[in-house]
């Protein structure tokens, strides 16, 4: 235990040093951005809960189900993210060579690394959960003790996916050390997603159906049946019960809290003993197999002598890093599922007005997805130059040119993605023809701004000592880039909603068109985008050029 | 401005959060000169090299390469430089060949020159078939050899090297020494920072000793021996860097 505390202390000292190195302006901007995000998210959840509370019969039931559902989804997401971060934390981290050479027990190394991994994989989730907890508590007028106990329970809950993910990885890497990281990710992702699907199917088949009824009894039964979202044996359900019972001041809270605490402790103990048996062995085996190299003849085998080489380098580094494209692949699969789920929209929304509203909501959703993709894949691109930045900085290539190459390539990919998603989704929704034309034009500006925000902020806040893109994106700079991107999308939707509403009122409710308002909104949108495209790139380039390497 | 000088450093200062890493460095290097900078850890050697390459911004002072002010025309000045940092880095997910191709492209080396020079350099530094394997599996010495190849491929006139011998086997170390001496004959200028005193003695045309951010002495080995009253380079170094 003392060894674990020693390693933990080293982490805390290192964290304190990095906080101390921040200047006042940076600290204030963090507080401002986080404050705005937490406030906005709180308001969003508060409105939803308040609305649900006012809906008779089904409202309060749905409120609890939403909480359980959210924690169930977070559980699966955390399992997946823990798998990805574990591979670098437990196998690729440079300090492992030193740690394993020191007289420290592998169990202590495991616990210290588990702590690090849980923090990296979960803290972004915690940031989203906090406003959820507060809005839920305030809506239900929960007693004071609800807040600290709810947060503590959630923190305990976040440890479970970390223990499961690491244990699975140790066993697979020990049994099949020849497998490359990408194969391990594939196997575990397939296993987890497959089991999740079957678990839901067996436990609650209603969840996979679209419910349509106006009968109150059916509605209540449907809501009650959703009790088993994820099932009563899952920690996500217990967290939901903990929040529910705590908010009512019910003594049943103790049962669920102790159940969660004991199960988390059991998972940590099992993972600890598995790590003692498997971790060192698997780390050595993986190291042995990795040192057996293979010859590669890629597109960059040939000499081109122009800027194309730099672009090819970026593509090759991306393709050869399994963490990158596996996550991109998951995003794609989820997007394809989403697009296909839209095919029923014309059946449910027979009135053209509602189809048009859905198409606008779909545009907003796609923009939010792209904001997330931007933070995960574009924001880390400067940091991923790592110490290779010495080469770029000392060579006759300007940083503005490097940014330009990265910007144009990312913009090209983002435009293809956003236009593709809009094209297919609008076909399935059977969108109003004018929206067919307007939304893709707006999407180009959205893509240009999101790429600029993420690239510019990535240059402003690089982390050259980190080689894991997930961690770079989950770092402070990444979180702020995410919040700024989400803020940008929010403002975009608000601005575009004005002409959209005006148009819909005219077309379907026969209200007069206000051309000055439409022109003003579109001009405002254009000006806003000029600022969001040029501003972040300019600031990023200037900030990077001023930086000492 | 003395145009015959390859590198001119005027009153160069660098401050890091109140700590002065360099306190007014003045230095001039000519073509065909190998200048070796010696000094204890934290003396300001790496800071000096990083300032010349543009990795750090000077707090005060100017740097001219072939008469070009690096602050005013950084791209033009950097096209004349070749730099090897103390910790050589190659993108782990690139092969050695891909990395060399990348560097040569950034320096816009012509294809014909690339073909000729790469062949010579691969032979000289004993680059084997491992050049087409991912560099994440390279040893320190393998990385150093790749870095030496990329350094010389674009034919720089001013070569800046931080600790050139770390991690090299004796055979490659000898190749490096011979290469440096032949570069000197080709009128290239080399600015080397090292702790390896025997290497400094063998290749340096001029030595500099830096301590606490100040260039204490510059001169030939004979001049330094005269000043310090010692003959052996180790004794000279210890005498001139003592507190």
């Amino acid at each position: 235990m003392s060894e674990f505390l020693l390693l933990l202390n080293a982490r805390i000292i290192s964290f304190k040093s990095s906080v101390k190195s921040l200047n006042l302006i940076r600290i204030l901007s963090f507080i401002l951005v986080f404050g705005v995000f937490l406030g906005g998210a709180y308001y969003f959840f508060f409105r939803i809960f308040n609305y649900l509370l006012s809906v008779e019969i089904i409202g309060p039931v749905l409120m609890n189900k939403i909480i359980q559902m959210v924690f169930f989804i977070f559980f699966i997401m955390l399992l997946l993210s823990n798998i990805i971060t574990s591979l670098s934390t437990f196998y690729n981290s440079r300090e492992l060579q030193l740690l394993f050479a020191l007289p420290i027990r592998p169990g202590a190394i495991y616990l210290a690394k588990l702590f690090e991994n849980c923090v990296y994989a979960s803290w972004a989730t915690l940031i989203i959960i906090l406003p959820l907890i507060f809005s839920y508590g305030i809506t239900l007028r929960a007693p004071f003790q609800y807040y600290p106990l709810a947060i503590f329970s959630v923190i305990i809950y976040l440890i479970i996916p970390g223990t499961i993910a690491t244990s699975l990885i140790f066993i697979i890497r020990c049994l099949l050390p020849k497998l490359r990281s990408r194969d391990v990710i594939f196997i575990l992702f397939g296993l987890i997603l497959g089991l999740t699907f079957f678990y839901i199917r067996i436990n609650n088949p209603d969840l996979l159906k679209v419910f349509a009824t106006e009968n109150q009894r059916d509605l209540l039964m449907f809501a009650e049946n959703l009790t088993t979202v994820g099932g009563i044996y899952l920690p996500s359900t217990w967290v939901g019960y903990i929040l529910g019972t705590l908010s009512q001041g019910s003594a049943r809270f103790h049962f669920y809290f102790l159940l969660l605490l004991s199960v988390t402790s059991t998972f940590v103990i099992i993972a600890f003993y598995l790590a003692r048996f498997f971790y060192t062995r698997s780390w050595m085996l993986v190291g042995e197999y990795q040192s057996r190299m293979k010859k590669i003849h890629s597109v960059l085998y040939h000499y081109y002598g122009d800027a194309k080489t730099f672009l090819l380098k970026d593509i090759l580094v991306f393709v050869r890093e399994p963490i990158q494209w596996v996550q991109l692949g998951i995003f794609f699969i989820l997007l394809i599922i989403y697009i296909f789920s839209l095919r029923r929209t014309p059946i449910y929304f027979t009135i053209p007005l509602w189809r048009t509203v859905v198409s606008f909501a779909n545009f907003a959703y796609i923009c939010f997805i792209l904001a997330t993709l931007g933070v995960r894949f574009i924001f880390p691109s400067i940091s991923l130059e790592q110490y290779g930045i010495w080469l770029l900085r000392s060579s006759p290539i300007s940083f503005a040119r490097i940014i330009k190459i990265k910007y144009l390539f990312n913009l090209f990919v983002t435009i293809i993605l956003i236009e593709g998603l809009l094209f297919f989704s609008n076909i399935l929704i059977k969108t109003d023809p004018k929206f067919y034309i307007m939304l893709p034009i707006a999407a180009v500006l959205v893509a240009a701004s999101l790429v600029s925000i993420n690239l510019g902020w990535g240059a402003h806040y690089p982390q050259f000592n980190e080689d894991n893109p997930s961690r770079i994106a989950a770092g402070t700079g990444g979180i702020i880039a995410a919040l700024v991107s989400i803020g940008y999308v929010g403002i975009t939707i608000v601005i575009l909603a004005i002409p959209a509403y005006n148009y819909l009122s005219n077309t379907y409710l026969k209200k007069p068109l206000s051309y000055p308002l439409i022109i003003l909104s579109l001009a405002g949108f254009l000006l806003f985008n000029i600022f969001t495209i040029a501003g972040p790139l300019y600031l990023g380039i200037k900030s990077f050029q001023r930086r000492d390497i | 401005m003395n145009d015959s000088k390859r590198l001119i450093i005027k009153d160069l200062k660098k401050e890091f959060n109140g700590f002065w890493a360099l306190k007014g460095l003045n230095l001039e290097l000519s073509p065909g000169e190998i200048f070796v900078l010696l000094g204890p850890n934290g003396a300001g050697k790496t800071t000096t090299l990083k300032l010349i390459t543009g990795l750090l911004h000077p707090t005060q002072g100017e740097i001219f390469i072939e008469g070009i002010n690096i602050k005013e025309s950084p791209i033009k000045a950097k096209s004349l430089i070749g730099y090897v940092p103390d910790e050589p880095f190659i993108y782990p997910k690139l092969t050695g060949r891909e990395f060399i191709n990348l560097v040569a492209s950034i320096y816009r080396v012509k294809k014909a020159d690339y073909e000729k020079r790469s062949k010579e350099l691969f032979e000289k530094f004993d680059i084997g078939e491992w050049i087409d394997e991912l560099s994440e599996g390279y040893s320190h010495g393998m990385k150093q050899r790749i870095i030496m190849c990329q350094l010389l491929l674009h034919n720089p006139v001013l070569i800046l090297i931080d600790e050139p011998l770390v991690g090299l086997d004796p055979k490659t170390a000898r190749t490096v020494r011979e290469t440096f001496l032949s570069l000197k004959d080709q009128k290239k200028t080399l600015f080397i920072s090292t702790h390896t005193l025997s290497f400094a003695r063998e290749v340096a045309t001029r030595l500099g000793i830096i301590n606490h951010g100040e260039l204490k002495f510059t001169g030939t080995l004979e001049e330094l021996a005269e000043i310090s009253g010692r003959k052996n380079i180790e004794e000279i170094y210890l005498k001139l860097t003592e507190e």
Side-chain angles (χ1 to χ4, degrees), chain A residues 146-365:
Chain A
Y146 160 87
Y147 300 97
L149 286 171
I151 293 168
F152 185 60
S153 305
V154 167
I155 291 171
I156 296 172
Y157 171 70
L158 295 177
I159 298 170
I160 302 175
T163 56
I164 296 173
T166 51
S167 302
L168 287 172
I169 286 174
F170 294 159
I171 294 168
I172 286 192
R173 291 225 113 160
C174 225
L175 296 175
L176 305 159
K178 283 183 189 174
L179 285 185
R180 286 177 292 180
S181 296
R182 88 170 166 205
D183 304 325
V184 175
I185 293 171
F186 262 134
I187 291 171
L188 288 179
F189 272 37
L191 186 75
I192 288 165
L193 293 175
L195 284 176
T196 306
F197 181 79
F198 282 113
Y199 189 84
I200 293 171
R201 192 150 187 102
I202 293 164
N203 256 290
N204 196 338
D206 284 352
L207 202 67
L208 300 173
K209 292 176 188 165
V210 175
F211 187 77
T213 184
E214 288 176 0
N215 185 305
Q216 280 193 0
R217 209 169 134 257
D218 290 350
L219 209 61
L220 196 60
M221 272 185 67
F222 173 72
E224 278 304 322
N225 280 336
L226 287 178
T227 307
T228 47
V229 174
I232 55 163
Y233 303 108
L234 279 188
S236 53
T237 313
W238 308 336
V239 176
Y241 287 151
I242 286 173
L243 263 58
T245 50
L246 257 177
S247 64
Q248 294 157 10
S250 162
R252 280 172 65 209
F253 150 76
H254 298 104
F255 170 74
Y256 291 113
F257 179 75
L258 287 174
L259 182 64
L260 181 71
L261 191 65
S262 56
V263 167
T264 304
S265 309
T266 310
F267 270 104
V268 172
I269 291 166
I270 292 171
F272 175 77
Y273 280 100
L274 280 172
R276 281 179 61 175
F277 189 72
F278 288 113
Y279 181 31
T280 316
R281 223 169 108 198
S282 65
W283 181 75
M284 285 177 170
L285 282 169
V286 168
E288 272 178 41
Y289 281 100
Q290 274 179 354
S291 63
R292 291 170 204 175
M293 300 183 288
K294 278 197 305 189
K295 279 180 77 172
I296 295 172
H297 278 218
S298 74
V299 62
L300 245 185
Y301 182 86
H302 306 286
Y303 179 65
Y304 301 104
D306 53 27
K308 182 167 60 180
T309 311
F310 189 77
L311 183 61
L312 288 174
K313 183 272 287 180
D314 271 3
I315 296 169
L316 280 181
V317 169
F318 183 89
V319 171
R320 288 173 186 168
E321 184 54 77
I323 289 172
Q324 291 278 54
W325 55 260
V326 165
Q327 283 192 343
L328 189 65
I330 293 165
F331 264 117
F332 269 118
I333 292 166
L334 292 174
L335 284 173
I336 289 166
I337 292 170
Y338 167 71
I339 295 292
F340 275 96
S341 73
L342 292 172
R343 73 188 192 281
R344 283 170 180 263
T345 310
I347 302 168
Y348 297 132
F349 298 94
T350 46
I351 305 166
L353 167 69
W354 284 110
R355 279 210 304 274
T356 314
V357 170
V358 168
S359 78
F360 192 73
N362 170 62
F363 173 74
Y365 178 74

Side-chain angles (χ1 to χ4, degrees), chain A residues 293-296 298 300-303 305 309 313 320 385 388 390 393 395-396 398 545-546 548-549, chain B residues 14 50 54-57 75 78 85 89 91 93 97-98 101 104-107 109 111 132-134:
Chain A
M293 300 183 288
K294 278 197 305 189
K295 279 180 77 172
I296 295 172
S298 74
L300 245 185
Y301 182 86
H302 306 286
Y303 179 65
T309 311
K313 183 272 287 180
R320 288 173 186 168
E385 293 298 333
W390 68 258
R393 189 69 175 265
S395 59
S398 70
Q545 283 170 340
R546 279 196 299 269
D548 282 339
I549 305 286
Chain B
K14 181 64 188 172
K50 283 188 168 183
L55 291 172
L56 293 177
H57 295 286
I75 302 297
K78 284 174 187 177
F89 174 88
Y91 295 96
K93 295 292 176 190
R97 187 189 301 276
E98 289 166 349
N101 285 351
S105 295
I106 289 172
Y107 281 89
V109 177
K111 196 156 187 173
D132 291 315
E133 292 164 2
L134 289 186

Side-chain angles (χ1 to χ4, degrees), chain A residues 430-497:
Chain A
K430 294 198 167 83
T431 307
D432 182 292
K434 287 203 175 63
F435 271 57
Y436 255 124
I437 301 161
M438 288 305 291
L439 291 180
I441 296 169
V444 173
L445 289 172
V446 171
S449 290
L450 286 175
V451 174
S452 171
I453 289 168
N454 284 294
L455 208 54
W457 191 255
H460 180 69
Y461 205 85
Q463 283 177 269
F464 296 121
N465 54 354
E466 180 59 72
D467 56 3
N468 185 332
S470 295
R471 283 189 179 188
I472 295 166
T476 325
I479 294 290
I480 293 177
L483 301 181
V484 173
S485 301
I486 290 168
Y488 162 79
V489 173
I491 294 170
T492 295
I493 297 306
V494 169
I495 298 174
L496 290 178

